[in-house]
Amino acid sequence: EDSFLLGCNAPMWPSIGTVHGMRVSNDIYRSWEAFTCIAREVLHRNWQHNRLWINDPDCVVLENLKSSLSENEFVFHATFIYASGGMVLSGDDLTNMSERGFAMLRKLLPPVNRAARFDDRTFRVGRIELEDRVMLCVFNWGDMPETFEIGLPWACEIADVWSGEPLGAHAGKLTLRDVPPHGARLLSCRKIN
């Protein structure tokens, strides 16, 4: 097979069996409203990934380009792209990308190819089970800082993927204090043997 057919907002159900990948959201643009709208569209369709096709959550954008987006909102956006498990397509001009943007893009590649499963329909805590760890995708959709109590299936060493900060060993639960408004955390949890 030397081709890949991507449906871009094509009629979904008639496209089953016809396309290899499918855009499962509206077009991205640099605003908090677009980030949250698209995130909800994609996360509601996470179940389709690797069942019907490879999900395309639209481009990841990591550069501000004179928008009013905060750093927390870009982290939210990158974390949701990771949680989708699907394609990672850059919407930024790579020739003018900042070191911060490149560092985040590198951490998104290659895609994990597994969509997060969320604890509930609020899409606040998602989990991706990989061979050697569980990835936690934690989202604060609100306008105020928030504390999260997250159940852990085993004792693990936890690290923040975006910052590289080690959060230490935890068993039973993890308390994340003051996740910033419109922010997210992407955490790697390696089981302690």
Side-chain angles (χ1 to χ4, degrees), residues 116-185:
R117 293 180 179 229
F118 283 82
D119 289 0
D120 57 41
R121 295 176 136 209
T122 64
F123 298 116
R124 293 166 24 98
V125 178
R127 301 162 194 269
I128 301 173
E129 293 187 23
L130 302 176
E131 290 75 23
D132 61 341
R133 66 195 181 278
V134 171
M135 304 300 293
L136 294 176
C137 306
V138 182
F139 297 94
N140 181 355
W141 301 79
D143 297 328
M144 299 294 292
E146 192 167 343
T147 295
F148 290 78
E149 299 282 339
I150 302 167
L152 300 172
W154 53 67
C156 53
E157 287 284 340
I158 300 178
D160 186 291
V161 171
W162 302 125
S163 70
E165 174 191 5
L167 302 180
H170 297 267
K173 74 173 183 176
L174 169 67
T175 301
L176 282 180
R177 298 190 191 287
D178 296 323
V179 175
H182 302 184
R185 302 287 297 270

Side-chain angles (χ1 to χ4, degrees), residues 15-179:
S15 298
I16 294 173
T18 304
V19 298
H20 301 98
M22 175 65 81
R23 167 85 75 72
V24 291
S25 73
N26 282 324
D27 294 339
I28 190 65
Y29 56 96
R30 289 171 172 86
S31 81
W32 174 242
E33 293 75 22
F35 282 7
T36 56
C37 177
I38 290 169
R40 287 191 192 282
E41 288 173 342
V42 172
L43 298 178
H44 273 103
R45 294 178 174 132
N46 265 9
W47 67 270
Q48 296 173 350
H49 182 63
N50 283 335
R51 285 192 174 128
L52 305 181
W53 41 58
I54 297 171
N55 278 356
D56 171 12
D58 203 9
C59 297
V60 59
V61 291
L62 301 170
E63 298 298 323
N64 212 337
L65 300 182
K66 300 179 184 173
S67 74
S68 61
L69 288 163
S70 69
E71 181 66 23
N72 291 330
E73 290 166 335
F74 281 106
V75 169
F76 182 102
H77 176 60
T79 303
F80 127 70
I81 294 290
Y82 189 96
S84 79
M87 294 181 216
V88 176
L89 307 169
S90 177
D92 292 307
D93 178 354
L94 298 180
T95 63
N96 290 317
M97 201 165 190
S98 67
E99 281 303 314
R100 177 205 58 82
F102 265 125
M104 290 185 83
L105 185 59
R106 282 186 199 104
K107 290 177 182 179
L108 287 168
L109 297 172
V112 293
N113 201 27
R114 292 188 190 169
R117 293 180 179 229
F118 283 82
D119 289 0
D120 57 41
R121 295 176 136 209
T122 64
F123 298 116
R124 293 166 24 98
V125 178
R127 301 162 194 269
I128 301 173
E129 293 187 23
L130 302 176
E131 290 75 23
D132 61 341
R133 66 195 181 278
V134 171
M135 304 300 293
L136 294 176
C137 306
V138 182
F139 297 94
N140 181 355
W141 301 79
D143 297 328
M144 299 294 292
E146 192 167 343
T147 295
F148 290 78
E149 299 282 339
I150 302 167
L152 300 172
W154 53 67
C156 53
E157 287 284 340
I158 300 178
D160 186 291
V161 171
W162 302 125
S163 70
E165 174 191 5
L167 302 180
H170 297 267
K173 74 173 183 176
L174 169 67
T175 301
L176 282 180
R177 298 190 191 287
D178 296 323
V179 175

